[in-house]
Amino acid sequence: MKRIALFFICFMLCGCAENNPVREIPEAEENTVEVSISKNYGSVIEDNRDYFIGADITGDTNVENIVEFEEMTAAHEIYAEEVYIDEANLAENFILECFALGKTPYIIIKNKDSIGEESFKKYADLMAEAVGKYNIEVMVEILENSYYYDENGDRYNYLYDALKESNELVKSVWSVKSDDIILAEKYMPDTADYICVNGYLDDEAEAERMFSEMRSHLDTDKGVIIRFGAASYSSSDCVYRLDEAVSTIEAVYDKTKKDNSIAGIIYMDKNEKLSDKVVYTDYSVTSDKKVREGYKQIVEEAAAYRMGDD
């Protein structure tokens, strides 16, 4: 977004666990659906027409902004941006960009190991101020996968309290990696509005495993957000798996259509090397025409399905 537009909007707005026992899941009757949350397992759910469609394009080097991404794919209601705890200015700019386009902003706040306790509180207060500045609804994934380093939840709780005090419209999200779902019951705070299960999926089998893990270990009344990416290329075997990437995305959306425990989907659209510790893998839907067209069709069909056009 151009800087002048941001200032114009700003001007207008200023006026306005492993030790936990595995639950015994009853066998589903013939007319039941294996929904994703263990508490609802066995429930008869005919459809789910009340979930949001979102994307995280933070790591997509093929597009400059939301408008460009939607020109290549399809319309989404929610957009996510990944920021570190000391990047309140980036969060504020992204919130303004989403507001200008009629999108709901979803901020994924990441921690930094180098930040001490007092500095963390300072940055948390600045982040809360940025999120609350314009008093609009913002979804905030508070300290992505924080159970790794914040076992007692002290930092999570401090930032949660600051955000809620700054903006009563904030929707808080606690996140867990899809490989760690078994830990959710031990660490998930009661205060969270949503739980986000996030991970990168190489094929449909991994997608099914993720849903199976949720059926077995996720016992919650909170709405679940699925934030995922589907691999289309891996340098480990130098093989393009375009059809498999599309079928993996489709599998997640198909599960969601029959599961009203799912509150929304956010596709992680990335074509950058995730870290020096892993091989390069492309999760971007904008890199290849086949994946892009497949993704576009899936999203458009999901949007039509929610409207009852099925």
Side-chain angles (χ1 to χ4, degrees), residues 35 66 72 106 115 164 261 304:
V35 298
I66 292 171
M72 297 180 69
Y106 183 111
I115 295 177
K164 288 292 187 178
S261 300

Side-chain angles (χ1 to χ4, degrees), residues 195-239:
I195 174 173
C196 174
V197 176
N198 60 88
Y200 297 95
L201 310 173
D202 286 339
D203 51 40
E204 288 185 64
E206 284 197 4
E208 175 53 44
R209 182 196 59 77
M210 178 180 69
F211 282 97
S212 177
E213 287 285 301
M214 290 194 291
R215 285 195 298 270
S216 299
H217 303 297
L218 200 57
D219 188 10
T220 181
D221 290 323
K222 304 179 191 302
V224 176
I225 298 167
I226 304 296
R227 185 161 61 84
F228 80 106
S232 60
Y233 173 78
S234 173
S235 63
S236 62
D237 51 13
C238 297
V239 173

Side-chain angles (χ1 to χ4, degrees), residues 11-121:
F11 176 77
M12 292 195 320
L13 281 173
C14 286
C16 78
E18 304 216 356
N19 292 325
N20 294 338
V22 176
R23 288 182 180 78
E24 293 185 7
I25 303 300
E27 287 189 16
E29 298 177 4
E30 188 173 343
N31 64 340
T32 62
V33 177
E34 292 187 0
V35 298
S36 67
I37 307 304
S38 60
K39 184 171 286 187
N40 295 333
Y41 183 86
S43 301
V44 178
I45 297 178
E46 295 181 354
D47 55 27
N48 175 22
R49 300 185 190 270
D50 187 25
Y51 63 92
F52 64 76
I53 297 172
D56 171 8
I57 60 174
T58 308
D60 187 342
T61 58
N62 296 322
V63 296
E64 292 291 331
N65 50 42
I66 292 171
V67 172
E68 200 170 308
F69 178 72
E70 292 200 344
E71 287 175 349
M72 297 180 69
T73 58
H76 299 64
E77 298 93 52
I78 286 181
Y79 277 88
E81 178 81 351
E82 300 171 26
V83 302
Y84 285 102
I85 186 66
D86 60 349
E87 295 179 326
N89 60 318
L90 294 182
E92 182 180 337
N93 289 342
F94 182 71
I95 290 169
L96 286 171
E97 180 182 3
C98 287
F99 180 82
L101 297 171
K103 312 295 184 181
T104 299
Y106 183 111
I107 304 296
I108 302 165
I109 301 178
K110 296 173 175 286
N111 188 50
K112 279 186 175 179
D113 293 337
S114 58
I115 295 177
E117 194 66 27
E118 290 307 311
S119 294
F120 174 85
K121 291 180 179 180

